[in-house]
Amino acid sequence: MIDLHGQAGLPYVNRNAYTGSYQGIRYRLRKVTREEEGSFLEAVVYPEPYSFEATAEEEKTYREFPFTQEGFDEAIGWLNEEYERRKE
C-alpha cells in the first residue's frame, strides 16, 4: 500500500514534484498552476522500469485533484486503486 504521510506531503509537493514506485508501478505528484483554473495536484501512474521522461505517453495515466490536504489524500487513494487495478 502506498502511504506518503510522513514522507511527502502537500508542503513538499508545493515546491517539488514527488516521484516514487511501489511493486511494479511508478508515480509522480506535482503542483500545476493554470492561469484560468488556478492550482491543482496532478497525479500520474506508469509502469516500471523507466523514468517518467523515458516512459511512452500512452503508458501514463493522469488524474487531477484539488490542491488541498483532502485532494492529496484522494490522490494517494487513487494511486492505490491504480496499483490494485494494474497488478491483476
Side-chain angles (χ1 to χ4, degrees), residues 29-70:
L29 299 171
R30 72 178 184 133
K31 179 182 181 180
V32 176
T33 303
R34 293 191 186 128
E35 190 172 310
E36 53 293 330
E37 299 171 26
S39 297
F40 61 90
L41 179 63
E42 177 188 78
V44 185
V45 294
Y46 50 99
E48 289 186 329
Y50 302 112
S51 69
F52 179 83
E53 294 78 16
T55 300
E57 201 59 35
E58 59 270 7
E59 294 186 44
K60 299 173 187 172
T61 304
Y62 291 80
R63 183 138 175 222
E64 298 175 359
F65 298 89
F67 197 76
T68 62
Q69 185 59 48
E70 293 79 18

Side-chain angles (χ1 to χ4, degrees), residues 3 6 12 15 20-21 30 35 39 62 71 74 76 78 85:
D3 181 13
Y12 182 89
R15 296 182 310 275
S21 64
R30 72 178 184 133
E35 190 172 310
S39 297
Y62 291 80
E74 287 177 38
I76 302 308
W78 178 75
R85 186 179 69 77

